[in-house]
Amino acid sequence: MLTLHRLLGGLLAVALLHAPPGLAAEPEMPWNAKEQHIGVATCAGSNCHGSQQAFDDSPVLQNEYFTWQRKDAHSNAYNLLLTDASKRIAANLGIGKAEEAEACLTCHSDYVPEAKRGRRYSLSEGVGCEACHGGAENWLGPHVTGNTHAENVADGLYPLADPVNRARLCLNCHMGSDDKPIDHRIMGAGHPPLEFELDTFTNIQPPHFRVDADYRERKPYEDNAVTWAIGQLIATEQLIRGIRSDRFKAGGMFPELVFFDCNACHHPMRPPRWNAGAGGPLGPGEVRLADAYMVMSGHVIDALVPDLSEQWDSALASLHLASRRSVPEVQQRAQALAGLVDTALDRMRDAGISRQQALALMDALARSGIERDAADFTAAKQIFYGLEALLAFLRQQDAALGKALNAPMDGLFSAVDAQVDYNPDAMRDGLRRMRRVIADVRAG
């Protein structure tokens, strides 16, 4: 029988899933929630999510466990701590064994307090089901017996289908947070640079779900273009939270350097230098905040919430200029951007992106790269990710358009894939080709 508690819980879950993101309460992150984590094995039964083949007569694929185990990098996250590279990083940091250090395990495993670890829980499973979907103590049984998605959320399932919630969860590890702090010291010890783009990273896991009629009936869904736009705004939100936190000013003589653009200091000394001409209102040699997500968010706002565009540009310039003065002023200026992010999310969330808006966004990204942003490797990668997400959206509507843009996209991939040999001039050439194709499409 459906109890009043379950009924009210289900209604609340539906409200949280569909309320505007700036107004809805943020769900508790899986590692902070009260539910016990009972282990990946509890999801791996052949009649649950452990089938070796996808089911044709099921609303879900039912091979999610094998997709995660065999193809998803998250399943290998703990094993990475056993490599020579991780041992070297741990030795540089003086933290003992990487596979035993909380600083590493917090993102390389489903790390929760011992009191919340069930009998079949294991750190060695890496970033398993419950690290993202939430401790299954209360929702697993009802989930198996046929609960709706909203009822599962009411029982503690983390609502990952909502891209706002998904981005906020992912960025804890892919950018760092108060819960999962990542600092410049870790990077200096040898950890690879962090990067993230919500739509791209969702699709290269690879996804262990299929967006079909059954999926859309059960869960909210946003297309590639909206997911990309939301991801940029939430990444900006997360960066601003970090800047406004104690972590930003806890580094002694300097602010915490992980919040600054890596390429402002780390770039080839040979021509052409990656960051020549980059920096917005700052001049040569001035170390700037990591603004790639903010720059992309500016394009989103300009295209989808244009009446906020001037305020955004002014607030971002003020934030950069504040870095010439003091940490408190930087934190104060960041607050103005946070308010604009909230407003933009509220207003664009349910509006969607049209074909013409997607093309306009692609042109704006390409133009910004040619005029300035290709000089910064981090911004160049975000431009590439954004173009790919928008193109994926357009391909679903017009296969011929997708085909026309494939060649310039391949050229851009070659440019950003060069990494340390990245050449901004090659990126600009690819963006010019992209703009020519986009212009022909828009004119036709």
Side-chain angles (χ1 to χ4, degrees):
M1 180 180 293
L2 182 64
T3 65
L4 178 61
H5 166 74
R6 292 290 295 285
L7 175 60
L8 292 175
L11 292 173
L12 174 62
V14 171
L16 288 176
L17 283 171
H18 295 285
L23 301 178
E26 294 183 29
E28 194 80 75
M29 290 297 167
W31 50 88
N32 289 330
K34 65 181 184 300
E35 289 83 13
Q36 191 174 71
H37 290 222
I38 55 181
V40 168
T42 58
C43 302
S46 59
N47 290 323
C48 296
H49 297 291
S51 170
Q52 295 195 38
Q53 301 293 329
F55 280 33
D56 292 329
D57 57 350
S58 171
V60 297
L61 297 175
Q62 295 193 237
N63 66 343
E64 294 84 356
Y65 168 77
F66 276 96
T67 299
W68 168 81
Q69 183 189 55
R70 295 174 178 177
K71 299 179 181 179
D72 191 331
H74 290 106
S75 66
N76 195 46
Y78 177 87
N79 294 332
L80 288 176
L81 300 180
L82 306 176
T83 64
D84 289 340
S86 292
K87 291 175 183 177
R88 184 168 59 253
I89 293 170
N92 289 340
L93 293 170
I95 58 175
K97 295 181 178 180
E99 69 270 24
E100 297 175 359
E102 181 177 353
C104 304
L105 289 168
T106 188
C107 281
H108 282 263
S109 72
D110 177 21
Y111 191 75
V112 294
E114 290 193 19
K116 290 196 284 190
R117 300 178 185 181
R119 183 173 59 86
R120 304 182 78 178
Y121 167 97
S122 174
L123 287 169
S124 65
E125 292 171 343
V127 180
C129 310
E130 292 165 293
C132 300
H133 291 285
E137 177 186 13
N138 295 331
W139 57 260
L140 182 64
H143 166 65
V144 170
T145 57
N147 257 12
T148 65
H149 179 68
E151 289 169 336
N152 290 330
V153 170
D155 285 338
L157 181 76
Y158 187 82
L160 278 173
D162 185 321
V164 170
N165 294 327
R166 185 163 73 249
R168 284 175 175 156
L169 182 142
C170 297
L171 283 161
N172 275 270
C173 282
H174 287 274
M175 180 184 288
S177 66
D178 286 345
D179 286 347
K180 298 176 182 288
I182 298 167
D183 57 26
H184 191 256
R185 184 168 174 265
I186 292 176
M187 299 298 159
H191 194 287
L194 297 176
E195 62 178 78
F196 183 74
E197 192 281 298
L198 181 63
D199 183 70
T200 300
F201 279 49
T202 296
N203 285 299
I204 64 174
Q205 283 181 299
H208 47 257
F209 57 89
R210 179 173 55 209
V211 179
D212 53 15
D214 289 322
Y215 184 100
R216 292 170 185 267
E217 182 179 341
R218 292 179 293 113
K219 299 178 180 181
Y221 171 72
E222 302 288 1
D223 59 44
N224 302 88
V226 172
T227 298
W228 167 76
I230 287 173
Q232 294 301 320
L233 289 167
I234 297 299
T236 295
E237 172 191 81
Q238 184 79 354
L239 177 63
I240 291 170
R241 287 181 179 181
I243 291 172
R244 295 179 61 217
S245 73
D246 288 339
R247 289 192 301 132
F248 183 71
K249 56 186 178 183
M253 181 176 178
F254 299 102
E256 170 50 56
L257 294 175
V258 80
F259 294 104
F260 290 78
D261 183 33
C262 302
N263 304 305
C265 297
H266 299 284
H267 54 75
M269 297 304 293
R270 64 184 183 276
R273 293 169 65 163
W274 285 358
N275 71 338
L282 298 182
E286 294 186 271
V287 181
R288 66 189 182 281
L289 292 163
D291 68 345
Y293 295 117
M294 296 176 177
V295 170
M296 297 300 109
S297 292
H299 293 308
V300 170
I301 288 170
D302 188 51
L304 305 180
V305 200
D307 58 301
L308 297 181
S309 183
E310 187 174 337
Q311 295 178 63
W312 181 267
D313 292 342
S314 175
L316 180 55
S318 295
L319 176 67
H320 278 302
L321 291 172
S323 68
R324 290 174 173 172
R325 293 185 282 272
S326 69
V327 165
E329 186 172 347
V330 168
Q331 294 182 311
Q332 180 184 355
R333 297 296 181 183
Q335 174 60 30
L337 284 168
L340 290 171
V341 168
D342 288 343
T343 302
L345 275 170
D346 285 349
R347 290 176 50 188
M348 64 156 275
R349 178 62 191 278
D350 296 321
I353 293 178
S354 69
R355 180 179 186 272
Q356 288 305 313
Q357 285 174 320
L359 286 167
L361 272 165
M362 292 182 74
D363 186 66
L365 292 178
R367 186 178 69 252
S368 73
I370 294 165
E371 294 175 355
R372 192 197 78 176
D373 296 320
D376 177 73
F377 181 61
T378 305
K381 290 206 77 171
Q382 288 300 324
I383 288 171
F384 171 77
Y385 288 143
L387 290 170
E388 183 59 49
L390 292 163
L391 180 55
F393 165 72
L394 291 169
R395 283 190 187 112
Q396 295 171 12
Q397 303 179 16
D398 187 342
L401 170 61
K403 186 175 181 180
L405 289 168
N406 281 342
M409 279 304 303
D410 289 343
L412 294 176
F413 174 78
S414 298
V416 298
D417 194 47
Q419 303 274 356
V420 296
D421 292 322
Y422 170 70
N423 186 325
D425 290 334
M427 182 72 178
R428 292 187 185 101
D429 287 344
L431 292 171
R432 290 187 185 97
R433 289 194 294 273
M434 176 69 73
R435 287 199 76 194
R436 286 194 291 270
V437 176
I438 293 171
D440 290 342
V441 171
R442 297 175 78 181

